[in-house]
Amino acid sequence: MAYQAVPLGRASASWTFFLLAATWLLLLSIFHAFPAMDIAVSSFFFRGALCGGGAGCGSFAFGRYESIKWLRWALYVLPYIAAVAIVIAVAAGSLSKSIAAKMPMRRLWLSLATLGLSTGLIVNLLLKNHSGRPRPIQTSLFGGHMDFMPAGSFLGQCTSNCSFVSGEASGAGWLLCLIILLPPKARLWFGRPVAIASVATAVLRVVVGAHYISDVILGFLMPIVVFSGLIALEQRILTPAR
């Protein structure tokens, strides 16, 4: 049986992308205007008094637990495993028409393009290397030596691999995009565990002081926005107007 893609009209796909992109920009504006939200959430996981540049303050205690470290690394590799599986599936489909007929080949290609554009280019190469935003553990509030900067400021002292936005949260968000590529029955079995793993990956970055909640939410949403944009472009190019 040939794979049937989830039906989505040109207008619906375009509006979905527009709403997701607008939501991303709105959240960025809110976090930038109210930076205390980032500090408050990170402070919740910080045991002890805030540092303020002095000694004898607290720390992100969860980051020291070996079980948390192992869980973080186990979740960290999931997007890589998924990417390799998709590459293998695309290669198999390219070699066999019968295999290709059973898979959403075009959407698989779009998912790989999403990973490259969002997590690879926008997040890791552009934002993380040029945003200048220090991670929580790098700021004077939480034991570091840099000044806190709000989301989207691009004026911080970090020089590379900075906090805005989270690369691991972006990879986790990309995993969530893959759920719609699964056959309906597989979604029932794998959809919920994938969603739980994706959210857990993002949350752990805040718990251990590696990112602010704004970094995580905006990083998580980035591949979802890009994926919806590519689907909208696909629909506009390949679906005739009515």
Side-chain angles (χ1 to χ4, degrees):
M1 179 181 295
Y3 178 90
Q4 296 294 323
V6 177
L8 190 65
R10 292 176 60 179
S12 297
S14 297
W15 273 107
T16 298
F17 167 65
F18 173 79
L19 290 175
L20 286 171
T23 298
W24 194 94
L25 292 172
L26 176 62
L27 288 171
L28 173 60
S29 299
I30 292 173
F31 281 119
H32 184 80
F34 303 99
M37 292 191 297
D38 274 332
I39 297 174
V41 174
S42 292
S43 298
F44 180 81
F45 299 103
F46 192 76
R47 295 295 175 261
L50 295 184
C51 302
C57 52
S59 65
F60 289 99
F62 287 105
R64 298 198 299 264
Y65 293 138
E66 289 298 321
S67 58
I68 296 292
K69 293 179 181 179
W70 280 107
L71 177 60
R72 180 247 167 166
W73 280 107
L75 295 171
Y76 175 78
V77 301
L78 288 180
Y80 294 96
I81 295 173
V84 170
I86 291 175
V87 169
I88 293 174
V90 167
S94 300
L95 296 173
S96 171
K97 291 184 178 180
S98 60
I99 294 177
K102 299 176 182 178
M103 296 190 299
M105 291 294 292
R106 197 162 59 230
R107 295 287 170 86
L108 289 175
W109 278 110
L110 289 182
S111 71
L112 291 176
T114 297
L115 181 63
L117 286 173
S118 61
T119 305
L121 177 61
I122 298 174
V123 171
N124 283 301
L125 291 181
L126 296 179
L127 292 180
K128 288 179 67 65
N129 283 331
H130 300 286
S131 67
R133 190 185 200 191
R135 298 169 184 268
I137 56 175
Q138 294 175 318
T139 63
S140 57
L141 286 173
F142 300 108
H145 302 285
M146 300 182 188
D147 296 330
F148 168 83
M149 298 301 295
S153 66
F154 287 80
L155 297 175
Q157 299 164 293
C158 176
T159 57
S160 64
N161 194 26
C162 303
S163 192
F164 185 80
V165 292
S166 171
E168 287 184 40
S170 179
W174 175 73
L175 277 180
L176 206 63
C177 297
L178 304 184
I179 294 177
I180 69 170
L181 303 182
L182 296 172
K185 290 184 178 179
R187 280 178 222 151
L188 295 176
W189 289 100
F190 296 105
R192 185 173 298 177
V194 169
I196 292 174
S198 296
V199 173
T201 300
V203 169
L204 281 176
R205 304 308 288 148
V206 180
V207 168
V208 300
H211 287 283
Y212 294 102
I213 189 67
S214 59
D215 302 321
V216 163
I217 292 176
L218 295 172
F220 191 88
L221 290 177
M222 179 64 72
I224 298 175
V225 173
V226 172
F227 190 52
S228 68
L230 291 179
I231 289 179
L233 182 62
E234 172 205 37
Q235 293 297 98
R236 183 162 294 276
I237 292 175
L238 299 178
T239 303
R242 294 180 180 178

